Amino acid sequence: MIMINVFLKVAPQKRAAFLTFVKELVTASRQDDGALFYDCLESVETENEFMIIEHWRNQRSVDQHNETPHLKRFVQEANTYLTEDFVIKVGQSPD
């Protein structure tokens, strides 16, 4: 299983628009082949700090997801909602 965490710091004045934007990504990505878990959660300690959590069956699933229109749109437009560039961390389960 491949695990991806995307860390996002959203501009407070763009919060509502970001939530609509990211909901579209999450909804579409959950339908992608090999998506085991996909959601966007907010920090309980820091308002407007979010993390997209992704679990994928394998690297092939990640590669296919990376080519979808919804992810390409997210990558192109996400920074318009953020106070700094998003950060991506990738890991793999030992199973």
Side-chain angles (χ1 to χ4, degrees):
M1 177 174 59
I2 308 292
M3 298 166 288
I4 302 172
N5 294 333
V6 183
F7 299 89
L8 309 114
K9 293 183 180 182
V10 175
Q13 68 276 17
K14 295 185 178 182
R15 177 188 176 87
F18 170 77
L19 290 172
T20 299
F21 175 67
V22 78
K23 184 177 181 179
E24 292 172 8
L25 171 70
V26 169
T27 300
S29 297
R30 287 177 174 169
Q31 304 305 311
D32 290 345
D33 185 47
L36 304 174
F37 181 87
Y38 204 105
D39 209 344
C40 182
L41 307 172
E42 185 173 12
S43 170
V44 296
E45 296 177 351
T46 308
E47 191 172 10
N48 298 315
E49 284 191 7
F50 293 85
M51 181 171 50
I52 297 172
I53 302 169
E54 310 174 34
H55 293 178
W56 297 96
R57 183 177 303 123
N58 52 36
Q59 187 60 49
R60 180 178 160 272
S61 300
V62 173
D63 294 342
Q64 288 177 332
H65 171 66
N66 288 343
E67 294 302 317
T68 61
H70 49 272
L71 183 67
K72 288 182 179 184
R73 177 178 177 238
F74 176 82
V75 170
Q76 290 174 348
E77 299 178 21
N79 281 334
T80 63
Y81 301 95
L82 307 179
T83 60
E84 58 188 64
D85 289 342
F86 57 84
V87 175
I88 300 171
K89 299 198 178 199
V90 180
Q92 190 166 353
S93 70
D95 60 328

